[in-house]
Amino acid sequence: MCKKTASGTLCCILLFILTTCFTTSFSVSAQSVRTISELKSGWLFIKKDVPNGAATTLDEKNWKQVTVPHDWAIGGPFSEENDLQKVQVTEDGEQSATLKSGRTGGLPYMGVGWYRKHISISNQHKDKKFYLEFDGAMSNAKVFVNNRFVGEWPYGYSSFNFNITSFLSFGKDNVIAVRLENFPEASRWYPGAGIYRNVRLVQSNSVSVAPWGTFITTPKISNETALVNIETSIDFTNETINQYSLVTSIYNHRNEKIETHTVAQANKKNIQNITIKQPILWTAEAPKLYYAISTIKKNGQTIDTYKTTFGIRSIAFTPEKGMFVNGNNTKLKGVCLHDDFGPLGMAVNKSVLVSRLKLLKEMGCNAIRGTHNPHTPEMLDLCDEMGFYFIDEAFDEWKSPKVKNGYHLIFDKWAQKDIEAMITRDRNHPALIMYSIGNEIKEQGEKDGAAVAKYLTKICHDIDATRPVTAGFNNMNQAIINGLADAIDIPGWNYKPEAYAKLHKEHPNWVMLGSETVSTVSSTGVYKLPAKTGAMKMWPDNQSTAYDLEYCSWSQLPDTEWKFQDNEYMVGEFVWTGYDYLGEPTPYGSKWPSRSSYFGIIDLCGIPKDRYYLYQSKWSTKKVLHMLPHWNWQGKEGEDVPVYVYTNYASAEVFINGKSFGKKTFIKENLLDRYRLRWENTKYEPGELKVVAYDTKGDIAETKVIKTAGQAAQILLKADKTTLIANGEDITLVTVNVIDKDGNLCPLSNDIIYFKVMGAASLRAVGNGDATSLASFEIPQSKAFYGKCMAYVQSTKSTGTVLLKAWGKNLKPTIINLKTVK
């Protein structure tokens, strides 16, 4: 339960993860008690409205074969006319409405699209039950089976399922049809289009565990034992209840069965309490998982099995000391993430998500806020497995609109259903620590806003009382005056670091959370002179400086947030954002061709920006030494080119061609020297820029060198993994560096790089992190952006050798060897 004590401590004894067991085949077995078939291949798609699109017989010759997950818009073309919005963004300080050309990415996501899939199920399965599960479909989904309307779900980010048993024709061809429609001015960022998440057909006996039918909590935990409470909901359909038993077995991370409990006469809802001896507790640092197998039996025969993965851990939030996990004080070092995949658009790919989370983990990040909507189930699965705390966020909009065709149009009818879907799907994940009911919602400024906040908070508590409810408030004073901050468990503050101390003093029972922070903007490899700190400047090339000195009028630098986070009462922060994302190209929202964000610590295609190493030096336990900028400044000889060093060594010294420019240490009293080392008066001359780092004893600990690069001569390829799984989905991200004959990065190169993949893989996408590029992600070439770009190589279902060849005009061809295995 989540409850506030008299002292204001918010205590939560928490839970842990629900997921069913997935199979990759579609064949339905007569012997299997539960078969889960991924519906990936064999879909037909057409990008237009078809009056009889759900018909069982239809001329499909003009329909395109696609694989789900599928984003129909990511192939482009980009255009400033796509979803051109005239809007006043008051959060950005705008005094009047302006045209926003790249607000939703400049991609053609609007309109109607139809999907169809043919399936056949034999007569021997007439007594089975069939559910169709969608992890998400963008948007306004209407689902049909055999030309009969099954159901709808308008919110494109929600997961949903339908019982389609009565709609099926056994022994005959069946047609699943899905109509989707995306309206213009329905989003503030790129929402994607199509069946962009996974779809499954679940077959079970008529008596089975209900979809998302388990709820596992651990109300009592000690070093010796943990009490595991399991609530299991059973769908009996028309069967007699007293004929069935429920057997639940718990397994540890080594797949060893450790406990079993039986309910001799199962009911629709069943409560089991099982004691685990010597429990291994889950944390982000050591994410050890358990799983429960729920087995329904009739006269000793197995009728259904259902797998629920969970973790054992406790969490508490206190106004004085922040967050405690298993009794240990823990600071959230988090990032906000939209759920697009850069060059893949919104089409879910688990292997790419793994790569993204690995980079964040190596940076020292330990938490994700899933903004501003429910994320794909794979995100929560991986947070459990890899070790991240997670905030599940429901909405960006309540009843008062931000965009013309936003969520406000369906709030009254669907808000409760969407929150219930999010929570019942996710409430068993150990990574999940809070539910967020909204982000920067307009109701902050309305007198009845607190009533809406209370309504949504109650829904959350009714379904899961073990986790606190939060929201991201940017209109701080109004959120307090109108009672929204008091209506939820933990008020989250967006871009208010200077107010933390005042808020803590005036509201001593509030837990203090930086729900959205920083919003510094930068472009990979782009350094603007002079290096000045301040609100973001509009540069002629639509880029932002990589010196990490530019921020929004309403936001701050990382240095400012850290200064105020260094208080023991702070729970932590969630930086906007971990990765660049499609859409919202602040500050160039009205200046085409910008079509993606500049906020990311890592760019759109997956290349870390300099800021990545600033966060790594602060957040991680690794020793970090990173120097910027590049050292190719032809025409700037003898002029000041500032040198910055991001490090967690005690001090560092910069040399140019052997000449020292002095040793520097951190200066706590000066904000920009508190977490960075800066040499503002270094004079450029071609040659060698070197930094030497020293430990606390003054001994040399590490050295880094950047040399003035010569003419671009060759290509260096580096894959984040060289072995792929031959499942037709596994992707490796191959970073491309344009280098000179001596191996130095050519930091100004904009050479066109051509790609060819040979063997058991294909080229899925390309990208270069340039927010102004209008080139398709789906062609086999990419311009280098300040010397770098990226290729996404995807496995086929065949095993064997894979060769990726890259070349360019006057650049020596390069090949990297990969392979696919079962």
Side-chain angles (χ1 to χ4, degrees), residues 124-144:
Q124 63 180 313
H125 303 300
K126 282 185 176 181
D127 62 338
K128 303 294 183 182
K129 182 168 56 183
F130 293 85
Y131 274 90
L132 194 57
E133 297 182 346
F134 292 83
D135 288 342
M138 189 63 67
S139 60
N140 295 292
K142 296 182 183 299
V143 179
F144 303 81

Side-chain angles (χ1 to χ4, degrees), residues 651-695:
S651 60
E653 186 175 7
V654 162
F655 298 83
I656 298 175
N657 294 329
K659 178 184 175 182
S660 174
F661 278 74
K663 182 186 292 188
K664 289 187 180 289
T665 57
F666 298 101
I667 303 172
K668 187 175 182 180
E669 293 72 25
N670 297 339
L671 181 64
L672 284 181
D673 299 309
R674 187 173 182 142
Y675 307 104
R676 332 178 182 206
L677 299 178
R678 301 182 300 149
W679 288 258
E680 295 285 5
N681 300 313
T682 41
K683 306 294 184 183
Y684 174 68
E685 60 180 65
E688 180 184 87
L689 174 67
K690 181 172 72 173
V691 60
V692 177
Y694 301 92
D695 61 21

Side-chain angles (χ1 to χ4, degrees), residues 706-760:
I706 299 175
K707 293 184 178 180
T708 304
Q711 184 176 351
Q714 52 190 328
I715 296 168
L716 177 66
L717 301 177
K718 184 178 181 181
D720 73 337
K721 60 185 178 187
T722 57
T723 300
L724 300 172
I725 304 301
N727 59 6
E729 302 175 17
D730 201 10
I731 290 177
T732 182
L733 279 61
V734 182
T735 303
V736 179
N737 287 346
V738 179
I739 57 178
D740 66 11
K741 63 180 180 60
D742 298 318
N744 299 304
L745 176 70
C746 297
L748 304 179
S749 167
N750 63 354
D751 293 86
I752 298 175
I753 309 300
Y754 301 91
F755 300 101
K756 184 177 181 180
V757 177
M758 296 159 280

Side-chain angles (χ1 to χ4, degrees), residues 208-448:
S208 63
V209 176
W212 303 331
T214 56
F215 183 22
I216 301 182
T217 59
T218 54
K220 294 181 181 179
I221 300 173
S222 69
N223 291 331
E224 292 76 30
T225 62
L227 179 64
V228 178
N229 177 276
I230 305 177
E231 179 181 309
T232 306
S233 297
I234 298 177
D235 181 4
F236 281 97
T237 313
N238 297 319
E239 298 285 334
T240 303
I241 291 178
N242 60 13
Q243 296 178 344
Y244 296 87
S245 62
L246 172 65
V247 180
T248 300
S249 298
I250 293 181
Y251 297 77
N252 62 22
H253 65 282
R254 293 184 293 270
N255 296 315
E256 299 167 337
K257 184 191 292 188
I258 55 175
E259 291 293 341
T260 296
H261 184 276
T262 299
V263 177
Q265 185 173 316
N267 295 295
K268 290 183 177 180
K269 283 196 175 181
N270 304 272
I271 304 296
Q272 295 171 288
N273 289 295
I274 303 174
T275 299
I276 304 298
K277 297 178 181 178
Q278 302 300 317
I280 302 174
L281 305 186
W282 187 97
T283 66
E285 295 74 31
K288 298 298 184 183
L289 296 168
Y290 290 81
Y291 63 92
I293 299 295
S294 305
T295 303
I296 300 173
K297 292 188 175 185
K298 181 180 181 181
N299 299 324
Q301 181 182 359
T302 297
I303 302 301
D304 189 35
T305 60
Y306 191 89
K307 181 179 179 181
T308 308
T309 308
F310 68 98
I312 298 174
R313 62 110 169 93
S314 66
I315 187 169
F317 297 90
T318 74
E320 299 84 11
K321 299 289 186 179
M323 186 173 82
F324 289 81
V325 178
N326 303 325
N328 298 313
N329 195 217
T330 302
K331 181 82 81 171
L332 293 175
K333 297 174 284 188
V335 299
C336 299
L337 289 179
H338 275 308
D339 51 351
D340 73 60
F341 291 78
L344 303 186
M346 287 287 284
V348 168
N349 184 280
K350 187 174 181 178
S351 62
V352 173
L353 187 53
V354 169
S355 296
R356 289 186 154 217
L357 292 177
K358 278 183 178 178
L359 265 182
L360 291 172
K361 194 77 171 177
E362 290 168 5
M363 186 180 75
C365 174
N366 70 355
I368 307 291
R369 175 182 170 218
T371 50
H372 296 298
N373 47 260
H375 276 225
T376 185
E378 288 86 348
M379 169 63 86
L380 286 99
D381 291 343
L382 290 174
C383 286
D384 290 341
E385 295 166 15
M386 299 175 69
F388 290 90
Y389 303 105
F390 189 80
I391 294 181
D392 230 344
E393 189 153 272
F395 308 121
D396 187 56
E397 190 176 283
W398 293 350
K399 295 186 177 185
S400 295
K402 293 182 181 180
V403 289
K404 179 181 177 181
N405 291 310
Y407 194 83
H408 68 279
L409 297 174
I410 61 171
F411 181 91
D412 287 336
K413 182 178 180 180
W414 285 94
Q416 180 170 348
K417 297 176 185 177
D418 284 318
I419 287 185
E420 287 175 348
M422 179 182 78
I423 295 178
T424 53
R425 187 196 74 174
D426 294 344
R427 61 187 177 179
N428 293 306
H429 287 273
L432 181 55
I433 58 171
M434 299 182 208
Y435 298 114
S436 172
I437 56 174
N439 170 70
E440 299 182 355
I441 38 84
K442 293 292 187 181
E443 281 82 350
Q444 294 169 95
E446 300 173 8
K447 290 183 179 179
D448 60 350

Side-chain angles (χ1 to χ4, degrees), residues 56-113:
T56 53
T57 57
L58 186 69
D59 183 357
E60 298 171 335
K61 66 181 180 182
N62 293 322
W63 293 57
K64 178 183 177 183
Q65 288 195 14
V66 298
T67 298
V68 167
H70 175 247
D71 182 340
W72 81 52
I74 193 59
F78 289 102
S79 171
E80 63 181 318
E81 299 300 321
N82 285 329
D83 200 23
L84 187 65
Q85 299 184 17
K86 187 172 184 178
V87 62
Q88 178 185 359
V89 183
T90 55
E91 292 83 0
D92 287 355
E94 292 184 349
Q95 300 302 310
S96 60
T98 59
L99 285 174
K100 302 293 190 297
S101 52
R103 197 181 198 199
T104 52
L107 287 164
Y109 77 92
M110 302 82 65
V112 175

